Amino acid sequence: MKNMLKPLLLLSALLFFSPQGAMADTYVENVGDKLAHGVANTVTGIGEVPKNMIMTTNEKGIGYGLTAGLVSGIIYGIGRTLTGVVDLVTFIIPTKPIIYPDFIWKEFDTKQTHFHPEWKLQK
């Protein structure tokens, strides 16, 4: 019995330090990140309305910001919420975020939200 235990311990140590072990951590982290993106974007999609109103007002004035900013905020809010739902449903497949900035609070009043045209897997 003792003779079989040594090779088994050696094999488990080799597997522990193998690249597959490192990939398992990366996979779990990527899946967790995607799940977090999904939850956050589903809940905070409504935040696109004030974000777009503020940005449009700063660029083109108060009248334009209150009208066009409101409309674009509603559209981007629906888009952020839907990408969050997609991330929640497909979180088991680690992909790069579809929407940038990936969280609404990143660069809130300086960077316009945009959607990436491709849905790429994480490497």
Side-chain angles (χ1 to χ4, degrees):
M1 183 72 175
K2 285 185 178 182
N3 291 339
M4 289 182 59
L5 190 57
K6 287 181 182 180
L8 186 60
L9 288 174
L10 181 63
L11 179 64
S12 64
L14 288 174
L15 288 175
F16 181 75
F17 292 108
S18 72
Q20 287 80 12
M23 285 178 57
D25 288 339
T26 304
Y27 174 77
V28 171
E29 288 174 5
N30 290 338
V31 167
D33 286 346
K34 188 170 180 182
L35 183 62
H37 282 102
V39 170
N41 288 328
T42 301
V43 173
T44 62
I46 191 71
E48 287 287 344
V49 174
K51 174 183 178 174
N52 280 276
M53 290 176 71
I54 291 168
M55 290 183 66
T56 308
T57 299
N58 290 340
E59 291 174 10
K60 299 186 178 180
I62 188 99
Y64 199 77
L66 293 177
T67 55
L70 175 66
V71 173
S72 66
I74 291 170
I75 292 168
Y76 280 112
I78 291 170
R80 183 172 290 277
T81 301
L82 290 177
T83 58
V85 170
V86 167
D87 283 347
L88 279 175
V89 171
T90 63
F91 79 93
I92 200 76
I93 305 166
T95 57
K96 293 181 179 181
I98 302 169
I99 193 166
Y100 294 97
D102 52 348
F103 292 108
I104 194 166
W105 54 83
K106 286 186 177 178
E107 304 176 65
F108 183 80
D109 57 352
T110 59
K111 189 166 186 173
Q112 182 64 41
T113 300
H114 67 279
F115 301 91
H116 202 281
E118 299 174 0
W119 198 36
K120 295 182 180 179
L121 292 174
Q122 289 274 350
K123 291 185 179 182

